[in-house]
Amino acid sequence: MADNLSDTLKKLKITAADKTEDSLEGCLDCLLQALAQNNTETSEKLQGSGILQLFASLLTPQSPCTAKVANIIAEVAKNEFMRIPCVDAGLISPLVQLLNSKDQEVLLQTGRALGNICYDSQSSKEQFASTNIAEELVKLFKKQIEHDKREMIFEVLAPLAENDAIKLQLVEAGLVECLLEIVQQKVDSDKEDDIAELKTGSDLMVLLLLGDESMQKLFEGGKGSVFQRVLSWIPSNNHQLQLAGALAIANFARNDGNCIHMVDNGIVEKLMDLLDRHVEDGNVTVQHAALSALRNLAIPVINKAKMLSAGVTEAVLKFLKSEMPPVQFKLLGTLRMLIDAQAEAAEQLGKNVTLVERLVEWCEAKDHAGVMGESNRLLSALIRHSKSKDVIKTIVQSGGIQHLVTMATSEHVIMQNEALVALALIAALELGTAEKDLESAKLVQILHRLLVDERSAPEIKYNSMVLICAVMGSESLHKEVQDLAFLDVISKLRRHENKSVAQQASLTEQRLTVES
């Protein structure tokens, strides 16, 4: 086989030069056979032989062998190590030109070849960015009427559009206008091809908005015609368009300026109307997308109060019944963003027994780490932002204390910290109510462990000592602190390199000495 292959490659070099069709076709068939038997080895040989450079001349002008050459390139480009060599051999431009072909087989193989060369390969996408492929593909796309050809171009566009530089080139080449036109043409059709094209077109639109530059260019300060058109998708009756519209808004909502502009211009009401249409037996992907958009919009401080008075919490709480983890996750994130530093809203939600009980239930969602983490963080946020005795009582009665204590041992420092601050507020405001739960959750033992552990971050040590001082007002917890010889650990921390930790250690030591 190996000798055979070497002969074939030698022969191919000669016949490629004088383009004798018959013998050329024979060589290409041998090569395809060799690739079918051992793709990697054959590709390595091919690369070593310098044949790739010849392929560019075999692709244009189109000949009876063109489809086979494109097929070989597609096969070879299944190997990651061959993708850059294909670009370096100058194959992109002739392949793109072939997308104009009338021959179905040539089209198929060319699409495969381009798709494989840019598949999952960051570096080959970067190389693509320096060719004019974006412009060529968009030009070609504008010319196509047949569904199959458009789908073929879509298949090449989608992986390319994952590269931010190419996203921008595609936007500048006018792809967005083409996509908007497709959406307009196909939105009311129930033909299978049209439905498929509507989905591909609107998905690609959302993908283009994932790049910061391309997104900002299309937003045009909220005045852009593209942004306005996408807005009109949200109230449509087509689920695919509602989904794409909500995802697009979530993508536009990636910086504060855009978020503030959109909230001031009524986007929140549109998203709430959309959610309302999907409460009962709703479409889960639409729910998830609309909640994602609301969560992002709630990040700027100035938007929180506006969204709260628009009734976003009520709209979101309708989905508490959802059994879908992605929806649960976004719902929790949206509420957590909304109550950040909003005491009144945090208090209102924290006294909502239905919500708090559902949070406690989700804190045990072992199969869904995201939902579990967000539920814990929301529980803690309700206490931290409301500083309300009523909220703490509701959380104690619903069995939330155990989860906050466990959260203090999280592997994420930010979550540990949020838990410790919430627990310190509980100890300061409602120690009597929470005492038994704190005891059975083994709070004191956990704090001892956090202080002894050298890997604990300085803020964790600091907040653990604050919490130790706060629980001294409880007789049973005080006794646990004494039994565990905290003084030894804390006197060591007086020499800690972090000033705040060292200072808090001195204060805590005094407190423990006085109370012992």
Side-chain angles (χ1 to χ4, degrees):
M1 179 73 208
D3 295 345
N4 241 347
L5 182 59
S6 309
D7 290 346
T8 299
L9 292 173
K10 273 187 206 139
K11 207 158 134 193
L12 191 53
K13 274 191 174 165
I14 300 161
T15 49
D18 61 12
K19 297 203 171 179
T20 9
E21 290 297 346
D22 300 345
S23 42
L24 183 56
E25 199 154 349
C27 292
L28 295 173
D29 285 335
C30 286
L31 202 45
L32 279 167
Q33 233 174 335
L35 283 164
Q37 284 175 353
N38 188 334
N39 192 322
T40 317
E41 197 182 313
T42 307
S43 295
E44 281 168 354
K45 284 239 165 80
L46 231 165
Q47 193 188 355
S49 71
I51 291 272
L52 275 181
Q53 284 70 10
L54 287 177
F55 281 172
S57 66
L58 292 177
L59 288 170
T60 47
Q62 198 177 322
S63 71
C65 293
T66 303
K68 281 188 177 153
V69 177
N71 186 358
I72 290 171
I73 298 170
E75 286 302 316
V76 163
K78 286 178 177 173
N79 304 291
E80 175 114 31
F81 67 88
M82 290 299 287
R83 288 172 193 156
I84 301 274
C86 284
V87 180
D88 292 343
L91 299 179
I92 301 303
S93 185
L95 283 169
V96 172
Q97 298 304 329
L98 283 175
L99 291 171
N100 285 304
S101 169
K102 304 271 180 283
D103 181 321
Q104 287 304 317
E105 181 63 14
V106 169
L107 268 179
L108 171 72
Q109 299 304 348
T110 304
R112 282 183 64 229
L114 284 167
N116 287 352
I117 293 173
C118 65
Y119 180 75
D120 242 15
S121 156
Q122 237 11 71
S123 35
S124 70
K125 282 180 195 148
E126 271 151 35
Q127 300 256 359
F128 268 100
S130 61
T131 69
N132 62 343
I133 185 164
E135 208 181 321
E136 288 286 346
L137 283 169
V138 174
K139 246 194 270 176
L140 188 68
F141 191 79
K142 286 177 177 165
K143 282 194 249 168
Q144 295 306 339
I145 330 159
E146 293 165 45
H147 170 75
D148 292 349
K149 288 197 180 174
R150 278 165 113 162
E151 279 294 310
M152 169 70 67
I153 301 169
F154 271 143
E155 277 168 27
V156 181
L157 282 172
L160 279 176
E162 284 167 13
N163 174 288
D164 281 357
I166 298 178
K167 281 189 181 76
L168 196 58
Q169 291 172 4
L170 290 168
V171 169
E172 284 168 348
L175 178 61
V176 172
E177 290 70 15
C178 297
L179 296 176
L180 289 172
E181 207 173 303
I182 286 183
V183 166
Q184 209 168 357
Q185 290 166 359
K186 312 289 180 188
V187 65
D188 298 319
S189 166
D190 42 19
K191 289 198 344 222
E192 212 169 296
D193 279 357
D194 289 347
I195 293 169
E197 214 166 299
L198 178 77
K199 177 172 171 26
T200 319
S202 51
D203 283 349
L204 190 50
M205 180 80 201
V206 172
L207 183 59
L208 292 176
L209 293 174
L210 280 172
D212 286 337
E213 276 186 273
S214 48
M215 179 272 286
Q216 216 43 47
K217 192 178 169 66
L218 294 170
F219 189 66
E220 290 179 63
K223 305 275 181 286
S225 60
V226 173
F227 171 65
Q228 297 299 334
R229 289 278 285 279
V230 166
L231 273 189
S232 72
W233 293 356
I234 293 176
S236 95
N237 289 320
N238 181 304
H239 282 185
Q240 173 57 35
L241 275 197
Q242 295 170 358
L243 170 64
L247 287 172
I249 297 303
N251 284 342
F252 279 125
R254 285 210 312 278
N255 64 50
D256 284 6
N258 292 6
C259 288
I260 292 165
H261 179 90
M262 288 193 278
V263 168
D264 287 346
N265 285 278
I267 187 65
V268 170
E269 290 69 16
K270 285 193 169 73
L271 288 166
M272 282 168 31
D273 288 346
L274 176 60
L275 276 175
D276 249 357
R277 295 160 70 182
H278 287 278
V279 175
E280 299 302 326
D281 314 317
N283 179 308
V284 173
T285 45
V286 175
Q287 294 171 357
H288 179 258
L291 289 167
S292 298
L294 287 171
R295 179 194 177 280
N296 289 2
L297 290 167
I299 292 172
V301 176
I302 191 170
N303 279 356
K304 297 181 197 293
K306 293 176 183 168
M307 290 175 72
L308 288 166
S309 60
V312 172
T313 37
E314 294 75 5
V316 169
L317 285 171
K318 290 177 185 165
F319 294 90
L320 262 186
K321 305 188 291 271
S322 172
E323 293 303 332
M324 292 301 185
V327 174
Q328 297 166 352
F329 180 72
K330 286 296 175 190
L331 169 150
L332 293 163
T334 307
L335 292 176
R336 188 164 63 78
M337 286 301 157
L338 280 171
I339 61 164
D340 193 6
Q342 306 294 314
E344 203 181 313
E347 176 156 12
Q348 212 181 344
L349 281 176
K351 292 194 294 198
N352 178 332
V353 178
T354 317
L355 169 66
V356 173
E357 285 178 349
R358 192 72 159 135
L359 290 182
V360 170
E361 180 190 330
W362 284 342
C363 283
E364 290 162 11
K366 298 273 188 295
D367 303 344
H368 301 287
V371 172
M372 197 160 117
E374 278 290 343
S375 303
N376 278 302
R377 292 188 75 183
L378 184 53
L379 265 187
S380 148
L382 292 169
I383 295 169
R384 287 181 298 113
H385 298 303
S386 71
K387 302 185 175 54
S388 146
K389 288 174 169 247
D390 288 339
V391 170
I392 293 170
K393 284 180 188 155
T394 308
I395 288 174
V396 172
Q397 281 154 10
S398 305
I401 297 295
Q402 165 71 57
H403 297 297
L404 289 169
V405 175
T406 308
M407 183 181 166
T409 64
S410 161
E411 58 202 36
H412 305 290
V413 174
I414 189 164
M415 286 175 67
Q416 283 185 290
N417 227 0
E418 288 172 357
L420 291 168
V421 173
L423 289 164
L425 283 164
I426 292 170
L429 296 171
E430 276 296 324
L431 187 54
T433 314
E435 182 181 47
K436 280 201 167 48
D437 287 357
L438 291 171
E439 209 178 323
S440 61
K442 306 246 182 301
L443 172 68
V444 174
Q445 290 84 330
I446 283 171
L447 292 175
H448 189 270
R449 226 169 50 221
L450 290 174
L451 289 170
V452 173
D453 189 347
E454 288 180 1
R455 291 165 311 185
S456 294
E459 60 266 41
I460 300 302
K461 298 210 185 254
Y462 177 88
N463 282 324
S464 296
M465 289 188 281
V466 170
L467 189 43
I468 286 296
C469 296
V471 298
M472 295 297 278
S474 146
E475 212 173 303
S476 54
L477 294 171
H478 184 165
K479 185 176 179 317
E480 286 188 8
V481 172
Q482 284 176 320
D483 293 349
L484 270 174
F486 265 85
L487 269 170
D488 308 348
V489 191
I490 285 166
S491 57
K492 277 185 196 146
L493 289 174
R494 277 184 16 223
R495 296 185 295 282
H496 197 278
E497 58 190 358
N498 181 299
K499 274 209 184 72
S500 306
V501 171
Q503 245 170 339
Q504 186 57 41
S506 297
L507 291 172
T508 309
E509 188 177 42
Q510 286 165 18
R511 180 83 194 265
L512 290 180
T513 318
V514 171
E515 307 247 347
S516 59

